[in-house]
Amino acid sequence: MSKAKDNFENAIQDAERILQAYDQLNNVEERAREPEELKRAALIMTLTAWETYVEDVIQERLTTDLRTLEGSKVANFITSTLERELRYFHTPNAKNTKGMFERFLHQDVTEKWTWIDGDADQARSKLNQWIKKRGEAVHRSVNDTQASHLVSRPDMKKCLTFFKKLVETTDLAIDQS
């Protein structure tokens, strides 16, 4: 197991704690409205944990791979290239994630995302849907209290389960390469 996976597991607990706070506040009878912003915050924290995992695991694995070249111009070039690319890696959708893993680790980890009916395309599509929702949560505040919520409580449970499995599967794929 990678250190990046350990860090993800710690970070995902933030989202879980936010959902616990949501549940507690939502059960208060005299509340004026549902604490919708807590579900959006949990979604954002979940996707941030995923983004950080991708960045960390690539950096961790590349550092290990370059250990014998440490201090060389080649290692410095590769490391600085990764650092530069990570500064602009803000949308960890399937395409961007695949690209980062292929460029730096020469591996398409998205092909291993087959736990949903053995179909990696379904997992890629689901990841992209969650990324889109995160964008909406970050850039759009809910002004209409009558509008449907961006993410339901059951959907957030599915989101957490999905990303835990995605990290587990990705970490295993890297270990097996």
Side-chain angles (χ1 to χ4, degrees):
M1 177 172 23
S2 68
K3 178 76 171 144
K5 185 173 186 278
D6 286 340
N7 292 340
F8 170 84
E9 289 173 356
N10 286 328
I12 203 71
Q13 290 176 13
D14 291 342
E16 292 170 332
R17 283 190 289 271
I18 290 169
L19 286 177
Q20 287 173 351
Y22 166 83
D23 291 339
Q24 289 172 348
L25 287 173
N26 202 35
N27 287 328
V28 173
E29 291 194 25
E30 63 268 0
R31 67 177 160 74
R33 62 181 181 77
E34 186 175 335
E36 165 66 13
E37 60 277 4
L38 293 178
K39 290 186 295 183
R40 289 194 330 264
L43 176 66
I44 292 165
M45 293 300 293
T46 300
L47 274 288
T48 300
W50 163 247
E51 181 178 336
T52 302
Y53 167 78
V54 171
E55 293 171 354
D56 289 354
V57 78
I58 291 171
Q59 202 161 31
E60 180 180 329
R61 183 60 182 258
L62 192 62
T63 299
T64 300
D65 290 350
L66 292 173
R67 188 163 288 140
T68 59
L69 298 173
E70 193 172 337
S72 72
K73 290 179 182 179
V74 171
N76 291 340
F77 172 77
I78 293 169
T79 302
S80 67
T81 301
L82 175 62
E83 288 170 2
R84 188 171 39 257
E85 287 205 30
L86 288 178
R87 280 195 294 266
Y88 301 103
F89 183 69
H90 302 299
T91 308
N93 60 22
K95 179 183 174 190
N96 293 345
T97 299
K98 176 182 176 177
M100 288 294 283
F101 277 95
E102 285 182 334
R103 271 190 308 286
F104 291 99
L105 302 182
H106 299 284
Q107 182 181 9
D108 179 3
V109 295
T110 70
E111 286 297 319
K112 304 291 185 179
W113 296 349
T114 57
W115 76 92
I116 304 175
D117 297 329
D119 186 357
D121 286 336
Q122 281 189 30
R124 287 186 203 100
S125 176
K126 197 59 164 164
L127 170 59
N128 292 340
Q129 290 169 20
W130 286 120
I131 292 290
K132 184 176 186 238
K133 276 202 187 286
R134 178 188 74 167
E136 293 170 15
V138 168
H139 299 291
R140 302 279 181 245
S141 178
V142 178
N143 296 324
D144 182 2
T145 57
Q146 301 301 316
S148 64
H149 293 208
L150 177 65
V151 62
S152 69
R153 179 61 175 92
D155 282 346
M156 270 312 306
K157 182 176 170 85
K158 290 176 188 174
C159 178
L160 287 166
T161 301
F162 175 82
F163 281 98
K164 288 177 181 180
K165 187 65 178 178
L166 188 61
V167 167
E168 177 186 316
T169 304
T170 302
D171 222 57
L172 185 60
I174 293 167
D175 283 346
Q176 292 175 347
S177 69

